[in-house]
PDB file of all heavy atoms in Angstrom:
ATOM      1  N   GLY A 133      -6.446  -7.124 -18.148  1.00 79.00           N
ATOM      2  CA  GLY A 133      -7.417  -7.552 -19.150  1.00 79.00           C
ATOM      3  C   GLY A 133      -7.749  -9.027 -19.048  1.00 79.00           C
ATOM      4  O   GLY A 133      -8.909  -9.421 -19.155  1.00 79.00           O
ATOM      5  N   VAL A 134      -6.730  -9.854 -18.822  1.00 80.00           N
ATOM      6  CA  VAL A 134      -6.942 -11.297 -18.687  1.00 80.00           C
ATOM      7  C   VAL A 134      -7.873 -11.600 -17.515  1.00 80.00           C
ATOM      8  O   VAL A 134      -8.781 -12.435 -17.606  1.00 80.00           O
ATOM      9  CB  VAL A 134      -5.596 -12.032 -18.502  1.00 80.00           C
ATOM     10  CG1 VAL A 134      -5.830 -13.484 -18.088  1.00 80.00           C
ATOM     11  CG2 VAL A 134      -4.783 -11.990 -19.792  1.00 80.00           C
ATOM     12  N   ILE A 135      -7.660 -10.898 -16.401  1.00 77.00           N
ATOM     13  CA  ILE A 135      -8.495 -11.123 -15.221  1.00 77.00           C
ATOM     14  C   ILE A 135      -9.916 -10.604 -15.437  1.00 77.00           C
ATOM     15  O   ILE A 135     -10.891 -11.216 -15.002  1.00 77.00           O
ATOM     16  CB  ILE A 135      -7.877 -10.444 -13.982  1.00 77.00           C
ATOM     17  CG1 ILE A 135      -6.536 -11.096 -13.627  1.00 77.00           C
ATOM     18  CG2 ILE A 135      -8.821 -10.528 -12.775  1.00 77.00           C
ATOM     19  CD1 ILE A 135      -5.797 -10.426 -12.495  1.00 77.00           C
ATOM     20  N   SER A 136     -10.054  -9.492 -16.144  1.00 71.00           N
ATOM     21  CA  SER A 136     -11.325  -8.775 -16.215  1.00 71.00           C
ATOM     22  C   SER A 136     -12.276  -9.253 -17.313  1.00 71.00           C
ATOM     23  O   SER A 136     -13.491  -9.260 -17.125  1.00 71.00           O
ATOM     24  CB  SER A 136     -11.057  -7.273 -16.416  1.00 71.00           C
ATOM     25  OG  SER A 136     -10.197  -6.779 -15.405  1.00 71.00           O
ATOM     26  N   PHE A 137     -11.731  -9.645 -18.479  1.00 71.00           N
ATOM     27  CA  PHE A 137     -12.584 -10.013 -19.610  1.00 71.00           C
ATOM     28  C   PHE A 137     -12.916 -11.507 -19.595  1.00 71.00           C
ATOM     29  O   PHE A 137     -12.085 -12.325 -19.209  1.00 71.00           O
ATOM     30  CB  PHE A 137     -11.901  -9.652 -20.934  1.00 71.00           C
ATOM     31  CG  PHE A 137     -11.840  -8.188 -21.219  1.00 71.00           C
ATOM     32  CD1 PHE A 137     -10.727  -7.442 -20.846  1.00 71.00           C
ATOM     33  CD2 PHE A 137     -12.892  -7.541 -21.844  1.00 71.00           C
ATOM     34  CE1 PHE A 137     -10.665  -6.083 -21.104  1.00 71.00           C
ATOM     35  CE2 PHE A 137     -12.837  -6.185 -22.114  1.00 71.00           C
ATOM     36  CZ  PHE A 137     -11.722  -5.450 -21.742  1.00 71.00           C
ATOM     37  N   ASP A 138     -14.132 -11.821 -20.042  1.00 63.00           N
ATOM     38  CA  ASP A 138     -14.500 -13.231 -20.179  1.00 63.00           C
ATOM     39  C   ASP A 138     -14.125 -13.728 -21.576  1.00 63.00           C
ATOM     40  O   ASP A 138     -13.492 -13.003 -22.352  1.00 63.00           O
ATOM     41  CB  ASP A 138     -15.991 -13.443 -19.896  1.00 63.00           C
ATOM     42  CG  ASP A 138     -16.893 -12.686 -20.871  1.00 63.00           C
ATOM     43  OD1 ASP A 138     -16.409 -12.271 -21.949  1.00 63.00           O
ATOM     44  OD2 ASP A 138     -18.081 -12.514 -20.558  1.00 63.00           O
ATOM     45  N   ALA A 139     -14.545 -14.944 -21.911  1.00 62.00           N
ATOM     46  CA  ALA A 139     -14.173 -15.543 -23.195  1.00 62.00           C
ATOM     47  C   ALA A 139     -14.731 -14.768 -24.382  1.00 62.00           C
ATOM     48  O   ALA A 139     -14.183 -14.819 -25.484  1.00 62.00           O
ATOM     49  CB  ALA A 139     -14.646 -16.997 -23.250  1.00 62.00           C
ATOM     50  N   ASN A 140     -15.822 -14.034 -24.178  1.00 58.00           N
ATOM     51  CA  ASN A 140     -16.439 -13.250 -25.248  1.00 58.00           C
ATOM     52  C   ASN A 140     -15.993 -11.800 -25.244  1.00 58.00           C
ATOM     53  O   ASN A 140     -16.617 -10.945 -25.882  1.00 58.00           O
ATOM     54  CB  ASN A 140     -17.969 -13.323 -25.120  1.00 58.00           C
ATOM     55  CG  ASN A 140     -18.488 -14.726 -25.291  1.00 58.00           C
ATOM     56  OD1 ASN A 140     -18.023 -15.462 -26.166  1.00 58.00           O
ATOM     57  ND2 ASN A 140     -19.451 -15.124 -24.458  1.00 58.00           N
ATOM     58  N   MET A 141     -14.914 -11.527 -24.502  1.00 57.00           N
ATOM     59  CA  MET A 141     -14.346 -10.179 -24.403  1.00 57.00           C
ATOM     60  C   MET A 141     -15.326  -9.175 -23.812  1.00 57.00           C
ATOM     61  O   MET A 141     -15.359  -8.000 -24.197  1.00 57.00           O
ATOM     62  CB  MET A 141     -13.852  -9.698 -25.783  1.00 57.00           C
ATOM     63  CG  MET A 141     -12.702 -10.517 -26.347  1.00 57.00           C
ATOM     64  SD  MET A 141     -11.276 -10.568 -25.219  1.00 57.00           S
ATOM     65  CE  MET A 141     -10.697  -8.874 -25.357  1.00 57.00           C
ATOM     66  N   ASN A 142     -16.155  -9.644 -22.889  1.00 58.00           N
ATOM     67  CA  ASN A 142     -17.036  -8.749 -22.139  1.00 58.00           C
ATOM     68  C   ASN A 142     -16.486  -8.570 -20.727  1.00 58.00           C
ATOM     69  O   ASN A 142     -15.916  -9.497 -20.153  1.00 58.00           O
ATOM     70  CB  ASN A 142     -18.454  -9.342 -22.070  1.00 58.00           C
ATOM     71  CG  ASN A 142     -19.108  -9.441 -23.434  1.00 58.00           C
ATOM     72  OD1 ASN A 142     -19.017  -8.520 -24.240  1.00 58.00           O
ATOM     73  ND2 ASN A 142     -19.750 -10.571 -23.702  1.00 58.00           N
ATOM     74  N   LEU A 143     -16.705  -7.374 -20.177  1.00 58.00           N
ATOM     75  CA  LEU A 143     -16.184  -7.091 -18.839  1.00 58.00           C
ATOM     76  C   LEU A 143     -17.107  -7.648 -17.750  1.00 58.00           C
ATOM     77  O   LEU A 143     -17.583  -6.927 -16.884  1.00 58.00           O
ATOM     78  CB  LEU A 143     -16.014  -5.574 -18.656  1.00 58.00           C
ATOM     79  CG  LEU A 143     -14.770  -4.948 -19.277  1.00 58.00           C
ATOM     80  CD1 LEU A 143     -14.869  -3.424 -19.228  1.00 58.00           C
ATOM     81  CD2 LEU A 143     -13.506  -5.411 -18.579  1.00 58.00           C
ATOM     82  N   THR A 144     -17.320  -8.949 -17.814  1.00 65.00           N
ATOM     83  CA  THR A 144     -18.221  -9.566 -16.838  1.00 65.00           C
ATOM     84  C   THR A 144     -17.469 -10.112 -15.624  1.00 65.00           C
ATOM     85  O   THR A 144     -18.078 -10.420 -14.605  1.00 65.00           O
ATOM     86  CB  THR A 144     -19.003 -10.723 -17.485  1.00 65.00           C
ATOM     87  OG1 THR A 144     -18.060 -11.666 -18.023  1.00 65.00           O
ATOM     88  CG2 THR A 144     -19.891 -10.204 -18.604  1.00 65.00           C
ATOM     89  N   ASP A 145     -16.132 -10.233 -15.750  1.00 68.00           N
ATOM     90  CA  ASP A 145     -15.351 -10.806 -14.660  1.00 68.00           C
ATOM     91  C   ASP A 145     -14.712  -9.753 -13.763  1.00 68.00           C
ATOM     92  O   ASP A 145     -13.815 -10.058 -12.984  1.00 68.00           O
ATOM     93  CB  ASP A 145     -14.258 -11.730 -15.228  1.00 68.00           C
ATOM     94  CG  ASP A 145     -14.842 -12.975 -15.866  1.00 68.00           C
ATOM     95  OD1 ASP A 145     -15.975 -13.340 -15.498  1.00 68.00           O
ATOM     96  OD2 ASP A 145     -14.182 -13.573 -16.723  1.00 68.00           O
ATOM     97  N   ILE A 146     -15.160  -8.518 -13.896  1.00 81.00           N
ATOM     98  CA  ILE A 146     -14.665  -7.447 -13.039  1.00 81.00           C
ATOM     99  C   ILE A 146     -15.862  -6.796 -12.354  1.00 81.00           C
ATOM    100  O   ILE A 146     -16.881  -6.529 -12.980  1.00 81.00           O
ATOM    101  CB  ILE A 146     -13.852  -6.400 -13.842  1.00 81.00           C
ATOM    102  CG1 ILE A 146     -13.149  -5.425 -12.906  1.00 81.00           C
ATOM    103  CG2 ILE A 146     -14.726  -5.666 -14.854  1.00 81.00           C
ATOM    104  CD1 ILE A 146     -12.138  -4.540 -13.614  1.00 81.00           C
ATOM    105  N   LYS A 268      -7.293 -18.553 -15.013  1.00 82.00           N
ATOM    106  CA  LYS A 268      -7.313 -17.260 -15.707  1.00 82.00           C
ATOM    107  C   LYS A 268      -6.802 -16.149 -14.794  1.00 82.00           C
ATOM    108  O   LYS A 268      -5.995 -15.307 -15.199  1.00 82.00           O
ATOM    109  CB  LYS A 268      -8.732 -16.942 -16.178  1.00 82.00           C
ATOM    110  CG  LYS A 268      -8.838 -15.691 -17.056  1.00 82.00           C
ATOM    111  CD  LYS A 268     -10.199 -15.625 -17.717  1.00 82.00           C
ATOM    112  CE  LYS A 268     -11.266 -15.162 -16.747  1.00 82.00           C
ATOM    113  NZ  LYS A 268     -11.142 -13.699 -16.480  1.00 82.00           N
TER     114      LYS A 268
END
Side-chain angles (χ1 to χ4, degrees):
V134 169
I135 295 175
S136 305
F137 288 93
D138 62 17
N140 297 318
M141 296 303 289
N142 295 317
L143 281 170
T144 57
D145 292 337
I146 190 169
K268 187 168 77 74

